[in-house]
Amino acid sequence: MSARLLVALASAAAAVGLMVFAGQPAAAAGPVTIPAAPAYEAPVLYGSSLNSYRWEPSKKFTVWHGPESSGYRIALQKKSGTSWKTVASKAPGEQGETTLGYKMAKEGTVQVRIAATEGSRTLSASPAQKVIWKRDRSAIQHRYSNYTKPFAEAEGKVAAGDQARHGVYVWTGRSARTGSLQMRKDGKWVTVQKLSWKKKSSGTPPLAIAKTPKTKSTVTRKYRIVVNASAYEKGWTSKTGTVRHENPRSYTGYRKLSYDYMKKYCPNQIITVKKGGSASTAHSGSFRIEMAPGYQGSQHKAIALHECAHIITFRLYGHGLDAMDRRLNKIFKSSNGVEMVADCMAYRMGADRNAAVNWYTQDCKGPRGTAAKNILAGKKP
C-alpha cells in the first residue's frame, strides 16, 4: 500500500496539510476539486475545524475525509519537545467526517496537527497549528455594590454570638461554582465556611451568603471570600475585611450603662460612643447604636431605649425600609413615623416621658400604641 497522503485544502495558497482553526469554532472548509485518487492511495482529507472556544479545556476537531480511508487511522497529534505524540485517533471508515478530542491538562498553548497513520507510523500530516486554553475572568458582584469588603455592612463590628453577613453573586452560565469564607489564623488562611453557586444560565446570578463564625470572646479577625476556579473561569479572591467581635456583656463604663438600660430588649447589642455631639444614632445596615456621650439618669435611659427601639424595628423589616417608612408614616400621619414609633416603644420599655429628651411624640394612643406593641412583639403593624 502506498504511504502517500493526498490532502484537499480549503485555501489555494497552501500547498500541503489541513486547516486547523484556533480560537472561535470555525466553519467547515469547502473541498477543492482534485483528480480522483487511485484505490491504492491514502484517504483524501478535505480539511478540519476546531469546534471549541479558547476558554474550554476540551478541544474538539472535526475532520472531513474521502472514501479511501478504511486502511488508515486519522490522528490528532500534539507536539512534545521535538517529536509528535498521538493523543487521539480513529479509523474513519466511510466518506464523511470524524471527530477527535483532546483535553488540555493546564492553561497555555500547545501545537497540534492532523495526521494519517498506519500502525505506529505517521504517513502524512498537516502543518502545526497553535491551540489555546485560557480561562475567562469570573463575573462576580457584591450583593451591595458599595460594600466591597466582606462584612463591611457590619461597619467593622459584630456582637459575639451573632453573625455578620456578606452576599456575593457569581455568574454560573457555564458551570456551577464553589468557594469558601476564609479567616486569617496563625499567619494562614483557613476555611470556616464552604460556599456554592448552582449553575444558572439566565436571570439573576445565584447568591451565596457568607457568615462570620459565632464567638463569645472579644476578638478582631480578618476575613476574605474565595471563589474557586472552574474549567472555564479563573478563581477570584475578595479584598480582606476586618471585623471586631465584641461581647456587650464585657462592656465597661458608659457603654456598660447604656447596654444595661437596653439589654432586656436588645440583648446582644453592639454599642459605640461618639466622640462628641448630642445626637445618638441607630444604624439600619449594621444594627449598631452610637450613643452620644454625657447623658445621665432617666435621660440616658430614655435615649438608650429609643435607639434600641429603632434596632428592633430595623431587624423586623430587614431590607424593606421603604415599606417600613410608608406604613409608619400612614399610622402616625407624619413624615417621621419611624421616630414616633420609637418613642412609643421606648415608653412601653420603661422610658420616663418626663425625662429631658426632645421626644418626637407623646401621643401613643389608638393605632399608634398598637403599632408600638406589635413591633415589640415581633409583628409588623
Side-chain angles (χ1 to χ4, degrees), residues 221-283:
R221 290 174 173 167
K222 294 183 181 296
Y223 296 97
R224 70 180 187 182
I225 294 173
V226 173
V227 179
N228 300 326
S230 72
Y232 313 114
E233 292 123 333
K234 297 177 181 178
W236 175 87
T237 301
S238 74
K239 297 177 182 178
T240 299
T242 302
V243 177
R244 180 170 174 79
H245 299 259
E246 291 186 352
N247 191 334
R249 295 154 191 83
S250 66
Y251 286 161
T252 60
Y254 193 73
R255 284 203 298 173
K256 173 176 171 51
L257 189 55
S258 300
Y259 176 69
D260 286 345
Y261 284 135
M262 66 178 77
K263 64 183 180 182
K264 178 179 178 181
Y265 299 94
C266 295
N268 206 28
Q269 182 60 50
I270 286 289
I271 301 171
T272 57
V273 180
K274 291 184 175 180
K275 293 182 178 180
S278 59
S280 298
T281 307
H283 294 255

Side-chain angles (χ1 to χ4, degrees), residues 50-367:
L50 171 60
N51 306 320
S52 56
Y53 293 93
R54 179 186 64 181
W55 42 264
E56 293 178 310
S58 295
K59 306 302 178 181
K60 295 181 181 179
F61 299 83
T62 299
V63 182
W64 291 271
H65 50 81
E68 312 85 3
S69 57
S70 58
Y72 295 90
R73 294 184 72 84
I74 298 176
L76 173 64
Q77 297 181 335
K78 179 176 76 74
K79 193 168 186 179
S80 178
T82 58
S83 61
W84 290 90
K85 178 182 177 181
T86 296
V87 293
S89 70
K90 286 184 180 179
E94 300 297 327
Q95 180 175 357
E97 62 183 47
T98 294
T99 300
L100 298 173
Y102 167 65
K103 186 173 183 178
M104 295 179 65
K106 60 182 180 179
E107 290 180 89
T109 302
V110 297
Q111 293 191 71
V112 297
R113 68 183 185 181
I114 302 296
T117 63
E118 184 179 40
S120 61
R121 295 186 301 155
T122 296
L123 305 179
S124 188
S126 71
Q129 296 289 330
K130 291 181 179 179
V131 176
I132 298 172
W133 174 30
K134 184 178 180 180
R135 290 178 172 94
D136 280 349
R137 183 178 180 180
S138 293
I140 294 171
Q141 184 176 344
H142 297 275
R143 179 170 55 166
Y144 305 113
S145 58
N146 53 325
Y147 296 125
T148 59
K149 293 183 179 180
F151 314 120
E153 301 97 316
E155 298 176 327
K157 293 180 182 290
V158 62
D162 203 350
Q163 293 177 287
R165 291 164 170 77
H166 189 87
V168 172
Y169 292 102
V170 177
W171 182 74
T172 55
R174 294 173 184 162
S175 68
R177 303 295 295 276
T178 61
S180 61
L181 170 65
Q182 296 182 345
M183 183 181 74
R184 193 73 174 172
K185 184 178 182 181
D186 298 329
K188 298 180 181 180
W189 288 104
V190 297
T191 295
V192 293
Q193 180 188 356
K194 292 183 179 180
L195 302 172
S196 63
W197 296 263
K198 293 182 179 180
K199 189 177 187 303
K200 187 179 180 184
S201 58
S202 63
T204 303
L207 173 70
I209 304 294
K211 302 177 184 178
T212 56
K214 292 182 179 181
T215 176
K216 294 182 180 179
S217 60
T218 296
V219 61
T220 299
R221 290 174 173 167
K222 294 183 181 296
Y223 296 97
R224 70 180 187 182
I225 294 173
V226 173
V227 179
N228 300 326
S230 72
Y232 313 114
E233 292 123 333
K234 297 177 181 178
W236 175 87
T237 301
S238 74
K239 297 177 182 178
T240 299
T242 302
V243 177
R244 180 170 174 79
H245 299 259
E246 291 186 352
N247 191 334
R249 295 154 191 83
S250 66
Y251 286 161
T252 60
Y254 193 73
R255 284 203 298 173
K256 173 176 171 51
L257 189 55
S258 300
Y259 176 69
D260 286 345
Y261 284 135
M262 66 178 77
K263 64 183 180 182
K264 178 179 178 181
Y265 299 94
C266 295
N268 206 28
Q269 182 60 50
I270 286 289
I271 301 171
T272 57
V273 180
K274 291 184 175 180
K275 293 182 178 180
S278 59
S280 298
T281 307
H283 294 255
S284 61
S286 63
F287 301 131
R288 177 172 62 93
I289 289 177
E290 282 186 289
M291 291 295 297
Y295 289 111
Q296 297 178 2
S298 62
Q299 189 182 41
H300 188 181
K301 180 179 180 180
I303 292 171
L305 290 174
H306 175 94
E307 301 307 330
C308 172
H310 279 317
I311 296 299
I312 294 170
T313 307
F314 294 153
R315 287 186 182 275
L316 178 62
Y317 277 87
H319 299 294
L321 299 184
D322 289 339
M324 174 193 73
D325 283 331
R326 289 193 299 269
R327 180 58 180 156
L328 294 176
N329 288 345
K330 182 177 180 180
I331 292 172
F332 283 84
K333 296 180 172 58
S334 167
S335 61
N336 212 6
V338 68
E339 295 292 351
M340 291 182 173
V341 80
D343 279 352
C344 293
M345 291 168 66
Y347 302 148
R348 285 181 171 270
M349 289 188 282
D352 185 354
R353 291 172 182 261
N354 298 316
V357 176
N358 294 323
W359 297 110
Y360 290 89
T361 186
Q362 292 277 351
D363 180 8
C364 296
K365 297 177 182 178

